[in-house]
Amino acid sequence: MAQIRTTEEFQDLFDIDANLNRLVKNIELLNYINPLNIAAEKKKFFSSKYNYEPEFKYPKMRFNGYKLHRLFFSQRLERIEDDDIRQLYEDIIYEYSGLIECIETIGQGRRFYFNSLKSFGTPTEKDIENAKFILRFDDSEFDEEMLPMYNSTEAQDYFEEFSKRYDFKYHIKISNNLSAAAMVLNNTQTLVLRKSHKYSLNQLKVLTNHEIGVHMVTTFNGLDQPLKIFSNGFPNNVETQEGLAVYSEFMSGCLTIERLKELAFRVIAVDSLNKGYSFSDTFHLLHNQHKLNRDKAFAITLRVHRGGGFTKDHLYLKGIRNIYKYAKAGNDLGILLTGKVSQEYIPTMEKLTGLGLAVKPKYITDSYKVNNNSNPNLDFILSSLK
């Protein structure tokens, strides 16, 4: 293994990396984007026969956005001699700046939406075609594992048992203020579970392989790297990281057509933002036109309308398409587990490793070792995505 380089030869790089690490601690977007009053607004929305526009409240920003922008752009990147590494850090600064703008405008309608577009993009026509293709498949077969029957405390026990296959330690928190069933907070190595949610056995399998098997694995691998950008995140890392996480669901044998349809509905919902749909418009699209039950339709609508229009959710489907094709071509998934990294920067990561500025991942996603998927339809769908 290459020796880690912290010598004077790369001192300027390590100084800049350390500066960015100090600055980025406050800008975990997931700390700010989840509404504080979901349950109350959901009740009002259902009581209104789905025509009320929810008024969500959000956590207060705990930093000075303007000052942070200034400090990010004051970094003297010209001190990094290697062109590729300097370009990576320039891209990272623009990425972090975009996240600050997102956080600054949460709850401000279209202002937030346009900032979200800059950071996460919106579905292309090809993405929408892929989503519609998935929605053609039948997912009606009954399976006891799909019945919601486990509360958040039982879910916590399941996560703790699953995590014994890895030797890292993380925190588990149960919260009411969560739009997802579970999520990982990278900065604090915390798994958050939604208190009011009822989990099925299949969903627990999905979430453990997704959240622990990839998101927590890349969190701890990132912390193991000499450069902090691996922990704090490369540009466009969401697409790659979510693709890896859904691929873990596939390889572990718990990905279902129903789950793929959920990712497809997220694409449809994010596209509705581009068309100017209100919260109730998107809900009616999912509930009335696509026949999703009202709780699922509300959950997806909430995910994409929170903040004022959060477009991140379309990246899951694009991510699994790209990772599936990458893995099927025989490429190494390990390099994408070295931290919160992106496929497009693989050549730069290889250069960093060759220079002794990055190390191979300590943890490898457990499910990647053996393909336990037994559903030929899933293989057909994933291989057919454009």
Side-chain angles (χ1 to χ4, degrees):
M1 186 172 74
Q3 184 180 359
I4 296 175
R5 304 287 287 273
T6 55
T7 60
E8 290 181 10
E9 182 183 357
F10 292 104
Q11 194 58 54
D12 287 335
L13 173 61
F14 279 96
D15 287 345
I16 290 168
D17 184 75
N19 289 342
L20 294 182
N21 183 53
R22 282 191 292 273
L23 296 175
V24 81
K25 290 302 179 190
N26 288 316
I27 58 172
E28 176 96 65
L29 180 56
L30 294 179
N31 279 332
Y32 297 100
I33 191 65
N34 289 306
L36 299 171
N37 57 338
I38 295 172
E41 291 304 288
K42 181 179 181 179
K43 188 175 180 181
K44 286 182 188 175
F45 182 76
F46 284 169
S47 298
S48 75
K49 306 291 188 215
Y50 320 135
N51 289 315
Y52 166 72
E53 288 300 312
E55 296 180 7
F56 294 117
K57 295 175 183 174
Y58 300 92
K60 289 184 180 176
M61 201 168 76
R62 296 191 297 269
F63 60 88
N64 182 312
Y66 177 78
K67 184 179 177 182
L68 258 188
H69 280 295
R70 194 179 68 207
L71 291 170
F72 272 121
F73 286 104
S74 69
Q75 302 305 310
R76 293 174 56 198
L77 297 188
E78 66 276 7
R79 292 158 60 195
I80 301 175
E81 293 182 5
D82 184 278
D83 290 344
D84 294 325
I85 299 174
R86 185 174 62 251
Q87 185 62 55
L88 169 61
Y89 274 80
E90 185 176 319
D91 294 346
I92 280 170
I93 286 173
Y94 280 109
E95 174 87 355
Y96 294 166
S97 176
L99 291 177
I100 295 169
E101 289 183 319
C102 281
I103 294 169
E104 285 180 308
T105 52
I106 285 173
Q108 295 182 28
R110 301 299 277 183
R111 281 192 70 199
F112 173 80
Y113 171 65
F114 291 127
N115 285 324
S116 177
L117 281 179
K118 283 195 289 184
S119 290
F120 303 104
T122 197
T124 63
E125 285 299 320
K126 194 181 290 184
D127 297 328
I128 297 163
E129 285 174 21
N130 284 336
K132 289 178 178 176
F133 170 71
I134 290 169
L135 295 180
R136 294 186 199 134
F137 287 83
D138 180 31
D139 64 345
S140 59
E141 190 175 333
F142 175 76
D143 185 344
E144 273 191 29
E145 286 197 358
M146 305 301 286
L147 294 173
M149 54 196 299
Y150 299 96
N151 62 33
S152 55
T153 305
E154 292 167 323
Q156 179 173 345
D157 293 340
Y158 190 94
F159 271 93
E160 287 171 349
E161 183 61 33
F162 177 92
S163 300
K164 288 178 181 176
R165 62 188 73 186
Y166 302 103
D167 68 357
F168 47 66
K169 301 294 181 189
Y170 63 91
H171 313 288
I172 297 183
K173 176 183 170 186
I174 295 175
S175 171
N176 280 318
N177 303 320
L178 202 61
S179 53
M183 72 173 183
V184 166
L185 293 174
N186 181 45
N187 283 350
T188 56
Q189 299 90 62
T190 301
L191 170 76
V192 188
L193 299 173
R194 192 162 89 224
K195 186 173 184 178
S196 60
H197 191 69
K198 280 286 187 183
Y199 300 81
S200 69
L201 180 56
N202 174 263
Q203 189 177 34
L204 289 176
K205 290 178 179 178
V206 164
L207 290 171
T208 46
N209 282 283
H210 184 111
E211 302 292 348
I212 308 303
V214 171
H215 291 329
M216 206 61 87
V217 159
T218 55
T219 287
F220 282 94
N221 282 338
L223 290 170
D224 204 36
Q225 295 292 337
L227 293 170
K228 302 301 183 185
I229 53 163
F230 282 85
S231 177
N232 293 324
F234 281 38
N236 199 31
N237 74 81
V238 169
E239 182 181 314
T240 298
Q241 297 300 305
E242 298 301 351
L244 288 167
V246 179
Y247 189 68
S248 176
E249 300 172 30
F250 169 77
M251 290 291 283
S252 63
C254 59
L255 183 65
T256 61
I257 290 177
E258 181 180 345
R259 167 69 168 158
L260 268 186
K261 282 189 168 185
E262 178 189 335
L263 303 185
F265 282 127
R266 290 180 186 180
V267 174
I268 300 296
V270 172
D271 183 55
S272 79
L273 295 172
N274 185 45
K275 293 173 175 162
Y277 280 32
S278 66
F279 188 101
S280 56
D281 290 336
T282 301
F283 177 87
H284 285 297
L285 171 68
L286 298 175
H287 181 53
N288 297 333
Q289 189 171 323
H290 289 286
K291 308 304 179 188
L292 266 185
N293 75 50
R294 69 178 197 166
D295 287 310
K296 286 184 179 178
F298 183 89
I300 292 173
T301 304
L302 168 63
R303 285 181 65 101
V304 304
H305 276 273
R306 56 186 163 159
F310 193 31
T311 63
K312 171 194 154 188
D313 269 8
H314 80 98
L315 294 172
Y316 288 72
L317 191 57
K318 185 179 287 187
I320 180 57
R321 178 200 68 189
N322 292 343
I323 294 297
Y324 180 86
K325 293 184 186 302
Y326 177 85
K328 286 294 180 184
N331 294 303
D332 174 30
L333 287 167
I335 194 166
L336 297 175
L337 297 172
T338 54
K340 305 299 180 183
V341 301
S342 317
Q343 258 183 288
E344 63 203 85
Y345 290 95
I346 287 175
T348 307
M349 286 189 282
E350 290 172 338
K351 175 180 276 192
L352 289 168
T353 304
L355 290 169
L357 295 167
V359 297
K360 292 191 174 179
K362 179 179 179 181
Y363 303 103
I364 298 294
T365 299
D366 187 72
S367 64
Y368 290 170
K369 294 170 186 173
V370 179
N371 185 351
N372 285 317
N373 172 61
S374 58
N375 187 341
N377 281 338
L378 288 174
D379 257 319
F380 173 73
I381 292 170
L382 293 176
S383 62
S384 299
L385 297 179
K386 300 173 185 176

